[in-house]
Amino acid sequence: MTAPTLVDFDDVVDRYDPVLGLEVHVELSTNTKMFCGCPTAFGAEPNTQVCPTCLGLPGALPVVNRTAVESAIRIGLALNCDIAPWGRFARKNYFYPDMPKNFQTSQYDEPIAVNGHLDVTLEDGTVVRVEIERAHMEEDTGKSLHVGGATGRIHGAEYSLLDYNRAGVPLIEIVTKMIPDTGGRAPEVARAYVTALRDLIRSLGVSDVRMDQGSMRCDVNLSLSPKGSGILGTRSETKNVNSLRSVERAVRYEMSRHAGVLDAGEKVVQETRHFQEDTATTRSGRIKETSEDYRYFPEPDLVPIAPSAEWVEELRGTLPELPWERRARIQQEWNLSDAELRDLVNADALDLVAATVDAGAPSGDARSWWVSYLSQQANTRGVTLDALPITPAQLARVIELVTTGELNNKLARQVVDGVLEGEGEPDEVVAKRGLAVVSDDGALIAAVDEALAAQPDVAEKIRGGKVAAAGAIVGAVMKATKGQADAKRVRELIIERCGA
Amino acid sequence: MSDDLTRLSAAELAGKIHSREVSAVEAAQAHLDRITAVDGDVHAFLHVGTEAALASATLVDESLDAGTAPASALAGVPLALKDVLTTTDMPTTVGSRILEGWRPPYDATVTSKLRAAGITILGKTNMDEFAMGSSTEYSAYGPTRNPWDLGRIPGGSGGGSAAALAAFEAPLAIGTDTGGSIRQPAAMTGTVGVKPTYGGVSRYGLVACASSLDQAGPCARTVLDAALLHEVIGGHDPMDSTSIDAPVPAVVEAARLGAKGDLSGVRVGVVRELTGEGYQAGVGENFDAALRELEKLGAEVVEVSAPHFQYGLAAYYLILPSEVSSNLARFDAMRYGLRIDKGASAEEVMAATREAGFGPEVKRRIILGTYALSSGYYDAYYGQAQKVRTLISRDFAAAFEQADVLVSPTAPTTAFPIGDKVDDPLAMYLNDLATIPTNLAGTAAMSVPSGVAAEDGLPTGLQIMAPALGEAVMYRVGAAYEAARDAADGSPFAARTPEVKA
């Protein structure tokens, strides 16, 4: 297979209009599965969270998880959707070893939520309204592990292992309508939408929405239309897009690839593609010789879902403060400019700062830590900010130690480093590393005297009333005490000793 | 002694056990002995659970000896369970190679209820593979033979359960009815079979044929016995979403009331579209005689019309295969059952296993259903069939405005010779013409013996149909008719069953 011809992104945008569509799967964090009572905890021993129903044993039957329906309705309401007063599940029939019944119980033409929207704020403050086509309930499949062979893929594997723990975990699939007119901002819009959706669902408390653990998964649909023509192109569907950054990169790559195909006078193949994290490219999935026919029909083992208007309104009443409402409140409470708020949001730090403030820290200090020092640390480690091994409560304690003068800023960074290295709670790190500020005047006076003696010319200037020169002596004392001195007290002692 | 016990009705046997005249173990042993004696010829059972049966009966005896009240009106009475309901202590094969030897890790709700009622499960009975068939000839383990004539079929799919009753191998049995699989074998073997209202008995642990049509129900030699068993297995089950959350109709009381022989005030509707042409002469004659009997009992016999019943068979053979094609997809060799390790990929193993594991009728219906659900055909086939289903339900609703129960012959003929229709699927399908509308509408129906046909001496059945959850009046009419028929004959119908001879 020859490498695709890629067209420069700016060139693509000059000549084509991208049309985006996003399908996001969210694994609900219900205690039990969609249609049985098995637990849903992530990471359990394979095939320990299974029963006759989710293993698809002969004779076993599904029963709908009411909490999952509630979560679906709450997601629908938060996305400004209409909630269907009546709807059935359907069976999507296809054979695959990790699907126990060889059909997936899903909603097909009768989704629980339709016709909503989500307003998405871009980095520069532009607001884009993304129209939501539908949100529907379905069950997850099991997982296949292909053993042997070079790629970990099924082709070339010696054998495969199946884990059905995930089989039957409730999923909500949220599908946008086509998102037109985003031009060169299509990659950014895609990322901002998925981010906003993630924040929204997190605020509802119905899912972990962890893309790295697969509890949130995104499929990117993209097509190009010749600029201004309004003629829709053929779309590709890119799966395996497992981070916010990848969403952006997948859109960007597909735009360049589609343009290359179209420029060559060829047709874009309607196909499923897989995003390759390492190269930021997409690769064609299995070419299907025939188009898949899922033979959908209403699931006869379940009764229709018919949420009453009263129940829907009751659930509307349980919606928490939604992300945009919360941002407005926080901006006011912390007295932030629009740009400061955006920086926080763009750094993905809002929740972390808020949690740190909740743990007792002043918002300014909390912001500064997360946006600067900790963001650098996350970058260095190549992880997202929320994946750093420090909790908002731990950071709040460090900030408290600085406020009370037990640490200075330099020491505080060392304490944070210790926590990040897994050395324990901030107070333990202080004790183990011996990082407490030296405020014992006796030891400090000795160090000050020594520093003054080493730099007699500077000492003379201070004695002569040039107090500003004390800085050099402070620096020397701090160096001698390995930064553990309280700089303010050192300065006082220098002036005192020089009688200035 | 042994022989006497196997000839008793379940109610009589329960009475002797509860009064400690007979032990539950003696009752179980008598039937196990009978199975040993005749089942080589009849082949009603796929599995006989001797040890489990005796162990269960022993527990009942211990409990009764300790002075504890019987767990149910049928505690200690033996029963034959159709091999479509899961059992942890016996295999469950559904009459198919693909589940040969499969030992389920869970009991069906019906199985659990039988156990809780202290009923002794003797074994698992033969059936057409996955309950698809009307003769039990499509069992992968060989046909069951009709105790009235071993050269003939016992009906199907529940031929094993019905034959076990007629051969006195058990006084009670469980069947399942998707298009007539309880009622048609009952008619063919001169026994009583009831298809309860859809949702009246839990389907949890019933290996699905067609989910929207399947319903487990009681089989017995008398209407009262069926009613007693009905009350044991019926009722709401939170494990089955389609189970009805309502009390079980008071069918025992209704059967006792009916047996007093007064049907005055009861309107019996004769469905015009289910009478007339197409019935064997003796079937028609016995049906007419039954109508006269009902009138004598004081019932008002009226004619009703159900114009859409004529489309029932066609709709059924689109809906059933569609559901079958999906329900049977899970038999793929990955987790349980037969596995043919041929080929390099999972898909090839699945294909080889399904090729070897399913019989011809199952394959036929999977292919029909796959086709009917295919893109481009769905509306014309499945969609239209669902509309017919709605029309049939409306026909029933209209008919039940005019009559409390509806009646028809259960099956168009008496039992036919083994091999007669096995290669002619359409002829086989016509067996269920009169029983299918009830499954499509989700209503209730039963078959009660209506004598033997003059021309061949084989039993015929009277079908009594009732509205959803209207089982009480159905049992009342059935019991009244049964009592009048027995009085006319001078003996219970079962006593007319010939001795099994090879």
Side-chain angles (χ1 to χ4, degrees):
Chain A
M1 209 167 73
T2 52
T5 311
L6 298 177
V7 177
D8 175 72
F9 187 77
D10 291 338
D11 189 13
V12 177
V13 176
D14 281 344
R15 294 185 293 114
Y16 294 98
D17 294 322
V19 179
L20 265 179
L22 295 155
E23 293 176 21
V24 174
H25 284 89
V26 174
E27 239 179 42
L28 295 180
S29 51
T30 48
N31 293 328
T32 57
K33 292 186 179 181
M34 187 74 222
F35 300 117
C36 65
C38 287
T40 55
F42 181 79
E45 279 290 300
N47 298 312
T48 54
Q49 299 179 347
V50 292
C51 74
T53 294
C54 61
L55 279 178
L57 293 190
L61 294 173
V63 176
V64 173
N65 180 336
R66 186 183 164 94
T67 308
V69 177
E70 271 183 18
S71 299
I73 293 174
R74 293 175 76 229
I75 289 173
L77 291 172
L79 288 169
N80 306 294
C81 290
D82 301 327
I83 304 303
W86 190 90
R88 289 170 297 184
F89 280 93
R91 292 186 182 180
K92 180 181 183 180
N93 294 286
Y94 64 100
F95 282 84
Y96 204 77
D98 65 16
M99 197 163 58
K101 298 168 291 179
N102 287 318
F103 61 79
Q104 181 190 33
T105 306
S106 175
Q107 288 188 304
Y108 174 50
D109 50 358
E110 298 168 6
I112 187 137
V114 293
N115 291 332
H117 63 263
L118 180 60
D119 288 332
V120 172
T121 309
L122 304 186
E123 287 207 9
D124 68 354
T126 311
V127 175
V128 175
R129 171 159 290 193
V130 174
E131 302 284 345
I132 305 294
E133 183 173 303
R134 58 188 284 162
H136 73 251
M137 297 177 277
E138 58 186 35
E139 58 177 338
D140 212 341
T141 61
K143 276 183 189 167
S144 303
L145 177 67
H146 305 298
V147 183
T151 58
R153 285 156 58 189
I154 193 162
H155 297 289
E158 282 170 48
Y159 59 93
S160 302
L161 297 171
L162 295 165
D163 176 5
Y164 293 103
N165 282 353
R166 199 182 66 179
V169 167
L171 291 178
I172 304 296
E173 181 176 341
I174 299 149
V175 182
T176 67
K177 292 184 183 165
M178 284 191 295
I179 310 169
D181 306 327
T182 54
R185 306 197 76 167
E188 189 192 349
V189 169
R191 177 185 181 140
Y193 165 72
V194 178
T195 308
L197 186 60
R198 183 199 60 180
D199 293 348
L200 175 65
I201 290 171
R202 189 184 283 153
S203 76
L204 295 173
V206 297
S207 168
D208 304 336
V209 280
R210 293 283 298 266
M211 290 188 89
D212 56 333
Q213 289 187 355
S215 57
M216 183 171 187
R217 309 196 276 269
C218 181
D219 299 346
V220 173
N221 295 336
L222 184 108
S223 65
L224 292 185
S225 156
K227 189 125 195 132
S229 73
I231 302 165
L232 286 179
T234 305
R235 69 191 175 95
S236 61
E237 181 179 352
T238 303
K239 293 184 179 291
N240 200 33
V241 187
N242 293 332
S243 69
L244 293 172
R245 184 161 164 254
S246 297
V247 171
E248 190 165 354
R249 295 198 301 173
V251 174
R252 179 174 279 268
Y253 179 83
E254 279 299 283
M255 283 172 68
S256 292
R257 188 186 67 83
H258 277 233
V261 173
L262 295 171
D263 284 358
E266 288 164 18
K267 283 184 173 163
V268 172
V269 181
Q270 181 165 349
E271 61 178 347
T272 299
R273 298 182 69 87
H274 294 276
F275 186 70
Q276 310 291 102
E277 198 76 44
D278 47 350
T279 54
T281 60
T282 66
R283 139 181 96 67
S284 180
R286 187 165 57 115
I287 300 291
K288 290 165 190 157
E289 281 149 20
T290 52
S291 72
E292 197 82 59
D293 181 352
Y294 293 120
R295 293 175 284 117
Y296 284 101
F297 74 107
E299 166 60 275
D301 284 330
L302 292 171
V303 290
I305 303 284
S308 66
E310 294 74 35
W311 189 34
V312 171
E313 286 317 305
E314 191 187 313
L315 291 174
R316 197 191 297 279
T318 70
L319 293 184
E321 183 184 41
L322 298 175
W324 48 90
E325 297 163 349
R326 176 163 174 257
R327 280 199 289 273
R329 173 179 59 79
I330 282 177
Q331 180 173 14
Q332 201 194 1
E333 280 178 13
W334 298 353
N335 196 20
L336 302 179
S337 69
D338 287 353
E340 283 169 331
L341 178 67
R342 258 201 321 277
D343 284 349
L344 265 186
V345 172
N346 293 339
D348 233 337
L350 189 68
D351 288 345
L352 295 164
V353 174
T356 311
V357 171
D358 287 346
S363 67
D365 291 338
R367 265 170 57 211
S368 143
W369 274 101
W370 284 111
V371 174
S372 55
Y373 187 70
L374 287 169
S375 285
Q376 288 160 27
Q377 296 301 307
N379 266 343
T380 311
R381 290 160 181 252
V383 296
T384 56
L385 201 53
D386 63 348
L388 279 179
I390 183 167
T391 63
Q394 288 169 329
L395 180 64
R397 174 60 183 156
V398 174
I399 292 169
E400 186 185 6
L401 290 172
V402 174
T403 311
T404 57
E406 288 166 72
L407 293 177
N408 57 29
N409 283 334
K410 187 178 171 192
L411 289 175
R413 277 197 288 275
Q414 292 181 43
V415 174
V416 166
D417 290 344
V419 174
L420 292 174
E421 293 304 322
E423 293 169 25
E425 291 300 313
D427 289 293
E428 294 175 75
V429 176
V430 169
K432 281 187 204 156
R433 291 197 178 190
L435 294 179
V437 166
V438 177
S439 52
D440 170 0
D441 278 0
L444 282 184
I445 288 166
V448 166
D449 287 348
E450 201 172 310
L452 288 170
Q455 299 184 67
D457 48 335
V458 181
E460 202 49 45
K461 280 183 189 165
I462 301 170
R463 287 191 191 101
K466 280 196 157 189
V467 178
I473 304 296
V474 173
V477 172
M478 294 306 285
K479 194 175 174 187
T481 55
K482 298 195 174 77
Q484 296 186 31
D486 176 347
K488 199 172 140 216
R489 181 70 189 139
V490 170
R491 177 175 289 272
E492 286 166 8
L493 286 172
I494 292 167
I495 291 164
E496 212 176 291
R497 302 297 285 174
C498 293
Chain B
M1 177 70 190
S2 237
D3 246 10
D4 291 340
L5 291 183
T6 63
R7 299 278 159 164
L8 298 175
S9 72
E12 291 162 346
L13 186 56
K16 287 184 187 295
I17 294 168
H18 299 171
S19 69
R20 309 311 289 135
E21 184 185 332
V22 170
S23 74
V25 167
E26 283 168 330
Q29 191 60 56
H31 288 90
L32 290 167
D33 290 348
R34 174 73 181 167
I35 291 168
T36 306
V38 302
D39 209 53
D41 295 325
V42 177
H43 194 225
F45 285 86
L46 292 177
H47 178 87
V48 180
T50 305
E51 278 181 31
L54 291 173
S56 156
T58 302
L59 288 178
V60 171
D61 282 335
E62 284 171 3
S63 168
L64 291 173
D65 287 342
T68 312
S72 74
L74 294 172
V77 178
L79 172 140
L81 184 60
K82 191 177 182 182
D83 202 23
V84 68
L85 290 150
T86 59
T87 43
T88 50
D89 56 355
M90 297 180 201
T92 301
T93 70
V94 202
S96 180
R97 281 284 167 232
I98 212 152
L99 278 182
E100 187 164 6
W102 182 57
R103 190 67 68 108
Y106 76 107
D107 274 334
T109 298
V110 166
T111 308
S112 303
K113 289 192 174 211
L114 293 171
R115 294 194 203 283
I119 291 172
T120 305
I121 300 172
L122 295 169
K124 307 293 288 285
T125 56
N126 199 11
M127 57 187 288
D128 285 297
E129 184 178 5
F130 282 96
M132 297 176 210
S134 305
S135 68
T136 319
E137 291 169 285
Y138 292 128
S139 167
Y141 304 101
T144 296
R145 293 166 184 277
N146 193 325
W148 285 75
D149 177 346
L150 294 177
R152 291 179 185 261
I153 58 98
S157 68
S161 285
L165 297 171
F168 301 98
E169 295 172 288
L172 296 172
I174 297 290
T176 59
D177 192 313
T178 306
S181 285
I182 287 175
R183 290 162 287 161
Q184 184 257 13
M188 301 278 160
T189 58
T191 57
V192 176
V194 178
K195 181 224 135 9
T197 302
Y198 183 77
V201 177
S202 170
R203 290 187 300 117
Y204 189 73
L206 190 174
V207 181
C209 173
S211 308
S212 73
L213 300 162
D214 294 344
Q215 184 58 215
C219 307
R221 290 190 295 262
T222 72
V223 172
L224 177 62
D225 285 359
L228 289 164
L229 185 53
H230 195 133
E231 291 196 358
V232 166
I233 61 174
H236 181 242
D237 179 9
M239 298 294 277
D240 175 1
S241 309
T242 61
S243 156
I244 298 173
D245 194 358
V248 184
V251 292
V252 172
E253 189 191 328
R256 294 211 160 104
L257 173 67
K260 291 179 181 162
D262 180 11
L263 290 182
S264 42
V266 177
R267 296 168 303 162
V268 173
V270 177
V271 184
R272 187 188 305 143
E273 288 77 8
L274 297 181
T275 53
E277 300 287 298
Y279 291 93
Q280 187 182 317
V283 170
E285 287 157 19
N286 286 358
F287 178 67
D288 292 341
L291 291 181
R292 289 194 295 275
E293 205 67 67
L294 291 169
E295 275 180 328
K296 267 195 265 173
L297 289 163
E300 182 195 349
V301 175
V302 296
E303 190 182 69
V304 300
S305 176
H308 299 95
F309 279 19
Q310 59 174 314
Y311 306 114
L313 193 71
Y316 177 83
Y317 277 101
L318 288 167
I319 292 167
L320 175 136
S322 296
E323 294 184 12
V324 161
S325 71
S326 176
N327 280 336
L328 270 60
R330 69 188 61 194
F331 299 97
D332 63 1
M334 295 295 122
R335 292 163 299 280
Y336 46 79
L338 182 72
R339 178 175 193 144
I340 305 292
D341 267 312
K342 219 155 76 180
S345 69
E347 284 82 357
E348 285 170 87
V349 171
M350 287 180 187
T353 302
R354 291 166 67 80
E355 163 64 32
F358 289 139
E361 183 60 24
V362 169
K363 283 177 188 160
R364 185 155 38 232
R365 296 199 195 182
I366 289 174
I367 290 167
L368 274 173
T370 303
Y371 188 79
L373 289 177
S374 295
S375 152
Y377 297 100
Y378 179 90
D379 289 339
Y381 293 138
Y382 189 83
Q384 283 296 106
Q386 290 294 4
K387 288 180 191 159
V388 169
R389 195 169 186 172
T390 303
L391 294 172
I392 286 175
S393 292
R394 287 184 192 160
D395 279 1
F396 268 116
F400 287 126
E401 293 283 311
Q402 300 169 258
D404 301 303
V405 294
L406 306 179
V407 292
S408 78
T410 306
T413 67
T414 56
F416 45 88
I418 289 175
D420 229 26
K421 296 182 180 171
V422 75
D423 295 321
D424 187 353
L426 285 180
M428 193 75 94
Y429 295 171
L430 286 170
N431 264 282
D432 298 329
L433 200 67
T435 47
I436 277 174
T438 295
N439 298 84
L440 288 172
T443 47
M446 75 195 301
S447 179
V448 183
S450 58
V452 294
E455 62 273 20
D456 56 17
L458 292 167
T460 61
L462 170 69
Q463 177 175 230
I464 307 168
M465 295 167 271
L469 294 179
E471 275 94 338
V473 62
M474 176 179 91
Y475 272 95
R476 181 182 165 200
V477 172
Y481 169 68
E482 176 187 61
R485 182 208 61 207
D486 288 353
D489 289 351
S491 72
F493 188 80
R496 300 172 65 175
T497 314
E499 186 47 49
V500 174
K501 45 181 186 289

